[in-house]
Amino acid sequence: MNQSHALLLLLVQVIVLLPLHCLSDDFVSSRATYYGSPDCKANPRGHCGYGEFGRDINNGEVSGVSWRLWNNGTGCGACYQVRCKIPPHCSEEGVYVVATDSGEGHGTDFILSPKAYGRMARPGTENQLYSFGVVDVEYQRIPCRYAGYNLVYKVHEKSYNPHYLAILVLYVGGVNDILAVEVWQEGCKEWIRMRRVFGAVHDLQNPPRGALTLRFLVYGSAGINWVQSPNAIPADWTAGATYDSNILLT
């Protein structure tokens, strides 16, 4: 892809993403339902690629979001405050959820984990709220806060050193979206774009040998910026390993 085509693609992504970052001050009306899950958790095969991590992050208070909010995977990991609007069953604070999947039905923007759905209720009225199945809600995008974590990523289990590298972006703080990931190729003195496979998973066939330096294209309140990780992936990287980029996003 040449530079002009890459720039055009990024501009299109920004136009699509702009409404998401306007949600931090205003609530938006929508609807929400919940997963039919025997263990009260979310789907481990979600479109973000988080697997079991996507069921347990944020104490299991997670949600699948509409295709519009999912935005081809860029919306994975976004945090929202969601509160229902059925007095007297609903609490004022509602619930804080992390987007780990996509899906919609009955005009919903959120398919909450059963645990998250119940948290919208006032104490003692959870069963009544569950009985509605689908409820009117209002929501806003809020900053993600992961105590003790910077931007963290995991080498996907399907990676195979040195022939194939895939990474899964796990923690992204603040109100920020990862638009792209690139790997530095020292021999050619250039950055190589990783492919967004799906959700929060990016990959590269035949990555450069040796330690790998990554940079992330971040879209947030400061606009669009490339942020380079000062922590390189070691040359002997293995599938399943997790690395802290040492990039702090606020």
Side-chain angles (χ1 to χ4, degrees):
M1 180 183 294
N2 61 41
Q3 290 185 344
S4 60
H5 286 168
L7 178 60
L8 177 61
L9 177 61
L10 292 178
L11 288 174
V12 170
Q13 288 177 309
V14 171
I15 291 172
V16 173
L17 284 166
L18 277 174
L20 298 184
H21 290 283
C22 295
L23 298 183
S24 58
D25 297 322
D26 301 300
F27 280 91
V28 177
S29 295
S30 186
R31 306 186 82 200
T33 185
Y34 61 95
Y35 289 95
S37 170
D39 60 5
C40 293
K41 292 187 176 183
N43 177 16
R45 296 179 295 278
H47 288 98
C48 287
Y50 290 136
E52 290 296 327
F53 172 82
R55 287 159 55 84
D56 298 322
I57 189 175
N58 196 38
N59 295 317
E61 294 174 7
V62 299
S63 181
V65 295
S66 63
W67 299 110
R68 177 177 61 86
L69 297 182
W70 185 70
N71 196 26
N72 198 35
T74 304
C76 290
C79 296
Y80 296 91
Q81 179 185 7
V82 185
R83 56 193 188 193
C84 59
K85 301 189 294 181
I86 306 178
H89 304 293
C90 302
S91 68
E92 293 183 7
E93 185 176 1
V95 64
Y96 297 85
V97 296
V98 179
T100 59
D101 195 2
S102 65
E104 55 191 77
H106 304 289
T108 63
D109 272 312
F110 296 89
I111 303 179
L112 301 165
S113 65
K115 181 178 180 181
Y117 187 91
R119 282 291 299 271
M120 293 191 297
R122 292 184 182 275
T125 66
E126 293 87 355
N127 288 338
Q128 291 95 321
L129 196 64
Y130 284 124
S131 69
F132 290 116
V134 180
V135 294
D136 291 330
V137 299
E138 56 185 11
Y139 71 92
Q140 64 174 345
R141 178 88 180 260
I142 61 173
C144 293
R145 294 184 176 89
Y146 302 111
Y149 291 102
N150 298 308
L151 193 158
V152 175
Y153 57 90
K154 174 184 178 181
V155 177
H156 198 276
E157 285 82 357
K158 293 186 178 180
S159 299
Y160 182 67
N161 193 348
H163 304 293
Y164 176 71
L165 172 66
I167 66 165
L168 171 64
V169 180
L170 298 179
Y171 296 107
V172 180
V175 182
N176 295 286
D177 298 304
I178 303 301
L179 299 184
V181 183
E182 293 186 341
V183 179
W184 177 250
Q185 182 166 307
E186 179 64 25
C188 299
K189 304 297 182 183
E190 66 177 0
W191 291 97
I192 305 172
R193 178 69 56 89
M194 300 186 79
R195 176 184 64 140
R196 185 186 292 274
V197 186
F198 64 94
V201 181
H202 303 253
D203 77 349
L204 182 64
Q205 297 283 351
N206 299 313
R209 302 296 178 94
L212 300 175
T213 298
L214 302 183
R215 70 174 183 175
F216 301 83
L217 186 59
V218 180
Y219 173 59
S221 58
I224 301 178
N225 296 285
W226 282 106
V227 184
Q228 182 175 329
S229 171
N231 290 350
I233 302 177
D236 60 349
W237 56 265
T238 58
T242 300
Y243 298 98
D244 190 332
S245 70
N246 205 29
I247 295 171
L248 181 61
L249 298 175
T250 57

